[in-house]
Amino acid sequence: MCGINGIINFKGKHKESIATTLNTMNDLIVHRGPDEDGLFCEEHQKFTLGMAMRRLSIIDLSSGKQPIFSDDKSIVIVFNGEIYNYQSIKSKLLKEGVVFNTSSDTEVILKAYEKYGTESFQWLDGMFGFSIYDKNINKVFIARDFFGEKPLYYCETANDFIWASELKSIINTLDYTPNISKKGLNLYFRLTYIPAPHTIYENIFKLEANHFIEYDVNSNKKTIHKINAEPKPKTTNISFHDAKIKTKQLVYDSVDSRSIADVGLGTFLSGGVDSSIISLCLAQSTDKKIDTFSIGFKKASYDETDKSRVVAEMINSNHHEFIIDEDDLKNNIHDILLNFDEPFSDTASLPTHLLSEKTREHVTVALTGDGGDEVFGGYNKYYIGKMNKRYTSIVPESLHKSVLKLSNKYLINKDDTRGRKFQVNKLLNAIDYDGKFYWDIISLANTSSQLEEIMAPEYFENDIFKEYKAILNKEKIESITDFRQVDKILSLEGGMLAKVDRTSMMASLECRAPFLNRDLWEFTNTLPEEYLMKGWNKKYILKETFKDQFPENFLDKSKSGFGSPTGDWLRQSLKTELESYIEPNFLYNQGIFNVAEISKLVKEHLNSKKDSTFRVWSYYCFQKWYKNTYLKTN
């Protein structure tokens, strides 16, 4: 696991200057690779090109140093991530006479490209961001993995093309602070994160998952290509029995492939369905006791360590349990939030980082259950399709509008609880008679109408999801398969995976997600939807596949999630800071928000007239980022 950086300069900078810049970019991401660094830089008549990386040593500790060159030095690569099937690719290449100088997966990518070109990118099963400079054709290729587990940003200026694993490396390179992207701003205030290809900055982009950039340094032009052509979901006639057998094999195979490491490895174990199954599979794949890690809370309503203890005892793991209190979370807010380099307001990022920090004291790699909900249909929001269809077929739209007025008046929370009233009111507000309800369900911060109220007109954009609807080639999102496709390109890449990558790498811990396997994803896309959700039973096939290995009904127990009591903090320890963000002069000078409406929203939350935790927390995180970016003083 590493972080990478690269620059192509077209205005005559000497390689010493570019090398200095790359070293600075590397220093900013030392947490991604504290073990060693590497740099390549060359000066040509028309351009100067350099690539650099920081390395967290996981595989081939002795000879995996980067950059790695082809035997004739004409091709060079820097790589961030892991290729889980690199040994099978290497075996294929060895049979074809290819000679290897290291045991690293990085060299396998290089040798595969050298022999087969960019076609070889589609062979890679893993999480990665890498760049290859091929002097033979004067092109740079920059690629990102199938799900977007590893980040990759890029920026074009008048003089440079720059890419990096983290935004901070690019921002520090520029001699100006970019303006805010209106598209990125609106996406953030709808979703609580910003999905690819956008960032919070104008003219800085994320490379989309499953894509690569082809950059021609002679013509100074780039083109972006898809790596794997994803087949359209098409249901097969496989029996449920055979589907369970296939599911079990795919999950075990994926855990095995993601367990290859030359360093200590364990699992995050929350006691939920996904992490419990991953921990079980890992424990069964080895004769040694595995290490499992869970985090508990002193506040009983947030603590679920009893579930993880049951699994740890069942699989006989070396179980490490870390109990934290609210102060542990609050004391880390500033550093964790600002490490994202752009606004990000998933409250689970705080405990995820603390768990990563504690886990890193024992191992370097942790397997997680991430992706299980997207792959097998496990989110509560997947119920909404069924509910919306039934509700709108029975209740006339005119009556629904009357019901909505009453629910918004009487089903209002005044504190940060997400119980039945909260859930019913959210459901009623998501009901839509035009098939657009899912876009509001995934809008965790603001619906379109809510955002229009609080944002200044010149910053507000209406159909913010238009380009994603075009990718899906669907205006109406109606089925569980549709919902999962939306989540893959939005929630998974922009939210969950960004959260896990930044919070774990901040602690120099590598996280791997066995459920995020292309074969597994494509297989579940072929299953009848009732295999994924039977009635109201989510992740049905996954639970049925493994239920005989757990205590009775264990996999059917509900789990509340992995959040933080941010609504309470905003009224207590963070109140003074939050109030400074609605100071009239500050808001008028900023010019982004409707001063009266945003002030009303925040004050009603602070005064416990109406709980708006998600909306106000997203506002707080944005303003913290904004102040640090545009108003910080040295």
Side-chain angles (χ1 to χ4, degrees):
M1 185 62 61
C2 313
I4 65 170
N5 300 295
I7 301 175
I8 308 170
N9 173 264
F10 296 95
K11 290 295 180 181
K13 280 191 178 180
H14 296 301
K15 66 178 183 180
E16 291 78 14
S17 174
I18 296 298
T20 298
T21 300
L22 287 168
N23 280 324
T24 301
M25 295 171 78
N26 262 357
D27 291 343
L28 290 168
I29 57 168
V30 65
H31 50 277
R32 299 191 74 90
D35 295 331
E36 63 185 22
D37 62 359
L39 185 145
F40 157 81
C41 199
E42 262 189 7
E43 192 173 328
H44 297 262
Q45 186 175 357
K46 293 183 178 180
F47 63 91
T48 303
L49 185 149
M51 304 194 306
M53 53 76 64
R54 294 281 334 184
R55 186 184 183 207
L56 177 64
S57 301
I58 304 291
I59 292 173
D60 191 14
L61 307 186
S62 60
S63 63
K65 184 176 175 60
Q66 298 183 41
I68 291 181
F69 296 82
S70 60
D71 293 339
D72 65 0
K73 306 298 183 185
S74 67
I75 307 174
V76 58
I77 183 173
V78 291
F79 167 64
N80 165 33
E82 303 292 345
I83 304 301
Y84 303 124
N85 64 337
Y86 79 98
Q87 290 174 331
S88 63
I89 298 173
K90 184 174 182 177
S91 295
K92 167 184 166 64
L93 295 172
L94 284 168
K95 290 175 183 176
E96 296 174 358
V98 176
V99 176
F100 288 85
N101 302 305
T102 75
S103 300
S104 72
D105 51 354
T106 309
E107 189 183 18
V108 171
I109 303 171
L110 179 68
K111 295 288 189 176
Y113 165 78
E114 187 175 17
K115 189 167 182 64
Y116 289 98
T118 58
E119 176 192 346
S120 64
F121 297 170
Q122 64 188 290
W123 305 343
L124 305 175
D125 171 27
M127 54 178 184
F128 56 79
F130 63 79
S131 55
I132 294 172
Y133 171 42
D134 187 340
K135 303 178 195 178
N136 302 298
I137 54 176
N138 272 327
K139 287 185 177 181
V140 176
F141 300 96
I142 305 166
R144 192 178 183 198
D145 66 74
F146 183 79
F147 290 100
E149 292 182 75
K150 292 293 105 183
L152 237 174
Y153 300 86
Y154 66 93
C155 173
E156 291 182 270
T157 70
N159 301 328
D160 302 287
F161 183 78
I162 311 166
W163 65 98
S165 291
E166 294 193 13
L167 264 174
K168 57 175 64 70
S169 292
I170 293 178
I171 296 300
N172 186 75
T173 302
L174 305 176
D175 55 9
Y176 61 94
T177 302
N179 292 328
I180 289 176
S181 159
K182 192 163 77 167
K183 177 80 77 173
L185 181 73
N186 278 261
L187 284 167
Y188 168 73
F189 273 107
R190 290 291 298 275
L191 299 168
T192 71
Y193 56 86
I194 304 171
H198 302 285
T199 72
I200 193 61
Y201 295 108
E202 282 186 355
N203 300 319
I204 301 181
F205 300 95
K206 298 181 182 84
L207 179 60
E208 293 172 90
N210 192 31
H211 283 75
F212 72 91
I213 295 171
E214 178 181 350
Y215 199 97
D216 189 319
V217 292
N218 285 330
S219 62
N220 192 13
K221 290 182 179 179
K222 80 172 191 303
T223 51
I224 298 179
H225 310 271
K226 201 167 190 176
I227 296 175
N228 293 278
E230 296 182 57
K232 288 186 177 181
K234 186 177 180 180
T235 304
T236 61
N237 294 321
I238 188 171
S239 70
F240 189 70
H241 176 266
D242 289 345
K244 285 199 302 177
I245 294 173
K246 181 73 170 176
T247 296
K248 179 175 283 190
Q249 188 62 55
L250 286 170
V251 172
Y252 274 108
D253 287 348
S254 193
V255 170
D256 283 346
S257 68
R258 281 141 179 81
S259 304
I260 297 171
D262 296 328
V263 294
L265 178 145
T267 70
F268 284 174
L269 177 58
S270 68
V273 171
D274 301 326
S275 67
S276 297
I277 288 173
I278 295 303
S279 297
L280 170 81
C281 293
L282 182 63
Q284 292 178 344
S285 70
T286 177
D287 295 331
K288 299 178 181 179
K289 272 191 172 188
I290 69 165
D291 288 281
T292 53
F293 303 88
S294 65
I295 196 165
F297 297 87
K298 289 183 179 178
K299 189 173 181 178
S301 61
Y302 279 83
D303 187 71
E304 296 183 301
T305 49
D306 57 325
K307 297 183 180 70
S308 57
R309 283 187 216 123
V310 169
V311 179
E313 185 175 344
M314 186 188 84
I315 64 176
N316 192 30
S317 67
N318 294 315
H319 191 53
H320 309 264
E321 190 176 283
F322 312 112
I323 305 299
I324 62 174
D325 59 24
E326 292 182 25
D327 286 339
D328 293 319
L329 295 172
K330 287 185 291 189
N331 293 339
N332 287 270
I333 283 176
H334 184 82
D335 291 341
I336 294 170
L337 292 182
L338 294 182
N339 186 55
F340 285 93
D341 302 326
E342 62 181 345
F344 188 89
S345 52
D346 184 342
T347 60
S349 62
L350 307 174
T352 301
H353 172 66
L354 291 183
L355 176 59
S356 298
E357 212 170 37
K358 297 289 188 181
T359 300
R360 185 63 175 89
E361 295 173 5
H362 301 271
V363 298
T364 309
V365 179
L367 303 191
T368 77
D370 295 332
D373 289 315
E374 288 82 2
V375 172
F376 287 99
Y379 286 120
N380 287 335
K381 61 188 175 182
Y382 295 160
Y383 290 145
I384 305 302
K386 289 186 176 183
M387 293 180 177
N388 193 84
K389 190 173 183 178
R390 292 185 183 183
Y391 184 96
T392 55
S393 67
I394 298 170
V395 179
E397 188 171 4
S398 57
L399 178 57
H400 172 66
K401 289 179 179 178
S402 299
V403 171
L404 203 57
K405 286 181 181 179
L406 292 172
S407 73
N408 285 334
K409 182 177 182 180
Y410 294 109
L411 297 181
I412 297 300
N413 277 3
K414 294 187 177 180
D415 56 11
D416 185 10
T417 56
R418 295 158 204 179
R420 188 59 56 86
K421 280 200 310 181
F422 172 87
Q423 292 169 357
V424 170
N425 195 47
K426 184 170 179 64
L427 169 61
L428 288 170
N429 276 277
I431 294 294
D432 183 90
Y433 287 76
D434 297 319
K436 300 175 182 176
F437 60 90
Y438 198 70
W439 301 104
D440 274 343
I441 281 294
I442 65 171
S443 296
L444 297 176
N446 296 275
T447 63
S448 181
S449 58
Q450 287 175 330
L451 187 54
E452 189 172 15
E453 285 179 357
I454 64 171
M455 193 165 282
E458 57 269 31
Y459 276 93
F460 176 72
E461 283 197 12
N462 193 3
D463 192 2
I464 196 66
F465 298 122
K466 185 177 181 180
E467 67 187 288
Y468 302 104
K469 293 174 184 176
I471 293 170
L472 294 162
N473 197 26
K474 272 196 167 187
E475 182 65 27
K476 287 190 176 184
I477 306 299
E478 300 175 298
S479 66
I480 294 171
T481 299
D482 293 339
F483 305 157
R484 291 167 57 239
Q485 293 290 337
V486 171
D487 282 350
K488 179 180 179 292
I489 63 173
L490 285 173
S491 309
L492 190 59
E493 182 277 332
M496 158 117 46
L497 295 178
K499 172 194 71 182
V500 174
D501 176 80
R502 301 312 184 282
T503 56
S504 62
M505 291 310 298
M506 189 178 175
S508 301
L509 177 77
E510 174 175 306
C511 285
R512 300 177 181 176
F515 285 124
L516 294 181
N517 178 302
R518 191 167 81 237
D519 290 341
L520 192 53
W521 169 259
E522 291 178 354
F523 171 66
T524 57
N525 282 340
T526 69
L527 297 178
E529 290 198 342
E530 58 266 27
Y531 288 8
L532 302 179
M533 183 182 291
K534 185 176 182 180
W536 305 109
N537 192 346
K538 302 169 297 180
K539 282 191 285 201
Y540 180 63
I541 191 169
L542 181 64
K543 291 187 289 187
E544 287 295 302
T545 298
F546 288 94
K547 73 176 185 180
D548 61 341
Q549 301 190 60
F550 287 89
E552 187 175 0
N553 298 323
F554 179 85
L555 295 180
D556 293 316
K557 291 180 180 179
S558 62
K559 191 172 180 300
S560 63
F562 203 37
S564 307
T566 51
D568 296 338
W569 298 347
L570 292 166
R571 295 188 181 99
Q572 299 164 8
S573 57
L574 302 178
K575 182 178 179 181
T576 300
E577 183 183 0
L578 177 59
E579 286 178 329
S580 74
Y581 296 149
I582 57 169
E583 197 276 325
N585 286 337
F586 170 75
L587 286 171
Y588 282 121
N589 288 333
Q590 189 179 42
I592 294 173
F593 299 96
N594 178 320
V595 176
E597 289 298 327
I598 196 65
S599 298
K600 177 184 176 184
L601 174 69
V602 171
K603 287 176 181 177
E604 284 184 343
H605 180 84
L606 289 176
N607 297 330
S608 295
K609 289 185 177 180
K610 180 179 179 182
D611 184 81
S612 298
T613 293
F614 286 103
R615 299 182 72 193
V616 178
W617 178 249
S618 67
Y619 177 74
Y620 168 83
C621 293
F622 172 79
Q623 294 292 29
K624 179 179 276 291
W625 166 84
Y626 180 91
K627 186 175 181 180
N628 183 73
T629 302
Y630 293 103
L631 303 178
K632 64 182 177 182
T633 55
N634 295 322

